[in-house]
Amino acid sequence: MDTIAWLDRLVAFDTVSRHSNLGLIESVRDALRSHGLEPWLDLNAEGNKANLFCTLPAADGSTQGGIALSGHTDVVPVDGQDWASDPFRLTEKDGRLYGRGSCDMKGFIAASLALVPEFLAMPRQQPLHLAFSYDEEVACLGAPLMLAELQRRGIRVDGCVVGEPTSMKPVVAHKGLNAYRCRVHGKAAHSSLTPQGCNAIEHAARLICHIRELAEAWRAEGPFDQFYDVPYTTIGTNLISGGIAMNTIADACEFTYEFRNLAAITPQQVQARIQGYVQGELLPRMRREFPGASVEIEQLAGAPGLEASEQAAVTQLVRALTRDDAVRKVAYGTEAGLFQGAGIATVVCGPGSIVQAHKPDEYVEKDQLAQCEQFLRQLARSL
């Protein structure tokens, strides 16, 4: 089965993150088994989603070391998007292949699977691994479990290529992604008796304004990294709810905030600034109105950033194969930082443009898939 046929099969599985990905994973597993390989699955606690890991041994049968080709199998929803074609049916037009996930990032997975017979026929001295995860689009939930299972099984991987859409150009760094939910608890009262209540919405607004001030300070003062399109750490509040009626002082307010940090600022430093304001200013002010007031902050998601080593063998290999020495850093997140955190040198390089990801009429160009195939062949031969 060639790359386009594989992509057609993969796109047909509706693997929006709220749904199971088992149909896709089991189809891939069975195809790999037909080549005499032994993939294993790593299921989530509910048993309705799974990672897949498969080793293509070296010519001498060795399975340790080598390079992993990593991709996530989940896609973002199509709800409310105006598509010109069925998002879960691959449609070709003018050299473009349309479908949800065609770019982000089933195209890379399709190319990797289509080349498995060629990979197996090569006299490689090192193994090649396939690492396909679930729930990357919702806080990178699957990859950490797969990496933990690799460690438990004693599987060593020396390098990793995460095939997110980069127009087949190496990306050596991206920001970290962190999301939190904040719940502010005050005291309800009739709106005509304001002094008897503690307005959770108004106090939540104070914290939201403090978060905005942090964003403005980083934008004005840095630290900066000019290789990024947005060269500073960003933070913002994007969801909020609270109150039950216009004539009732709100006793609860909930909001979420998200920040994307440069390597120069750790998530712990960001949270320390927010918690410092909560403990030092916000709560004392609230408790002067209502001693039982409280503020709860819960982490919803956290994926580390990537800072690839230029000295790492996989970085040098990808640069040599793409003939691209540019320092390229991106604001969007990937699973690459998780692999790096597990001690696996990692770089990001895959077909398609991130500009097309998550949009209606998402597509990948056939030429990009052809470039990816050639890149993967050369990568495998280098082993």
Side-chain angles (χ1 to χ4, degrees):
M1 190 182 302
D2 66 14
T3 295
I4 294 178
W6 259 115
L7 185 56
D8 180 65
R9 177 187 288 192
L10 297 176
V11 167
F13 289 101
D14 178 357
T15 54
V16 168
S17 302
R18 63 175 176 260
H19 301 154
S20 171
N21 74 334
L22 285 182
L24 182 153
I25 287 291
E26 291 170 350
S27 177
V28 172
R29 177 200 62 193
D30 294 345
L32 293 172
R33 283 178 173 173
S34 72
H35 293 292
L37 298 168
E38 299 179 359
W40 49 264
L41 307 188
D42 179 33
L43 275 70
N44 66 350
E46 295 75 22
N48 64 344
K49 297 183 180 183
N51 301 307
L52 178 147
F53 191 89
C54 184
T55 296
L56 284 62
D60 64 0
S62 63
T63 59
Q64 296 295 331
I67 292 177
L69 306 178
S70 168
H72 64 80
T73 61
D74 62 318
V75 298
V76 298
V78 298
D79 304 30
Q81 294 186 338
D82 185 16
W83 283 71
S85 57
D86 183 344
F88 297 105
R89 180 177 179 180
L90 195 67
T91 303
E92 180 178 350
K93 183 179 180 181
D94 299 329
R96 297 173 175 177
L97 298 167
Y98 293 86
R100 175 54 87 221
S102 58
C103 172
D104 184 19
M105 55 180 297
K106 291 179 176 179
F108 179 80
I109 295 175
S112 301
L113 291 170
L115 292 177
V116 164
E118 292 186 38
F119 295 155
L120 292 174
M122 294 176 184
R124 290 173 291 103
Q125 297 180 22
Q126 299 178 57
L128 195 64
H129 311 274
L130 303 178
F132 303 149
S133 67
Y134 67 86
D135 279 0
E136 186 272 350
E137 297 289 5
V138 285
C140 296
L141 299 180
L145 299 180
M146 177 166 54
L147 291 167
E149 184 65 13
L150 287 180
Q151 185 177 30
R152 191 188 72 79
R153 291 172 177 251
I155 298 174
R156 190 186 84 253
V157 178
D158 294 332
C160 177
V161 175
V162 175
E164 290 278 2
T166 67
S167 300
M168 291 309 301
K169 298 176 181 178
V171 165
V172 296
H174 64 70
K175 294 180 180 180
L177 166 63
N178 302 271
Y180 290 81
R181 177 189 293 121
C182 178
R183 293 187 175 100
V184 179
H185 300 281
K187 182 181 179 182
H190 193 282
S191 60
S192 65
L193 302 172
T194 300
Q196 296 183 14
C198 178
N199 194 315
I201 291 177
E202 294 175 353
H203 288 292
R206 296 183 189 278
L207 179 52
I208 291 170
C209 288
H210 176 72
I211 289 171
R212 172 73 182 196
E213 289 171 358
L214 291 177
E216 291 173 349
W218 288 322
R219 182 172 185 172
E221 304 166 10
F224 299 105
D225 186 332
Q226 298 300 333
F227 287 110
Y228 283 96
D229 51 356
V230 180
Y232 46 84
T233 295
T234 60
I235 187 170
T237 303
N238 300 320
L239 289 171
I240 186 169
S241 63
I244 60 170
M246 65 178 294
N247 60 354
T248 303
I249 293 173
D251 66 349
C253 182
E254 176 180 307
F255 65 91
T256 64
Y257 61 93
E258 176 209 64
F259 60 87
R260 306 217 173 205
N261 59 294
L262 296 177
I265 298 179
T266 68
Q268 293 77 16
Q269 289 173 319
V270 176
Q271 278 305 103
R273 296 281 295 275
I274 294 172
Q275 290 285 7
Y277 175 80
V278 170
Q279 298 299 323
E281 296 188 41
L282 185 61
L283 273 177
R285 191 167 190 161
M286 292 181 68
R287 286 172 178 169
R288 286 196 292 270
E289 299 176 3
F290 172 50
S294 64
V295 176
E296 304 167 2
I297 298 179
E298 170 194 8
Q299 185 168 16
L300 300 177
L306 170 70
E307 286 286 338
S309 168
E310 290 291 347
Q311 286 69 49
V314 69
T315 307
Q316 295 181 13
L317 175 60
V318 171
R319 287 203 179 284
L321 295 180
T322 58
R323 299 180 181 179
D324 191 324
D325 293 327
V327 177
R328 194 171 289 105
K329 301 182 179 184
V330 296
Y332 61 85
T334 78
E335 295 172 330
L338 294 165
F339 282 88
Q340 185 180 63
I344 302 171
T346 304
V347 67
V348 184
C349 186
S353 169
I354 195 65
V355 174
Q356 304 306 325
H358 299 195
K359 295 169 61 175
D361 296 328
E362 174 184 351
Y363 69 83
V364 64
E365 295 177 347
K366 292 174 68 176
D367 179 65
Q368 282 284 299
L369 293 180
Q371 289 183 44
C372 182
E373 290 174 351
Q374 185 61 17
F375 167 80
L376 292 174
R377 285 190 184 98
Q378 293 175 331
L379 183 147
R381 288 175 185 144
S382 75
L383 300 180

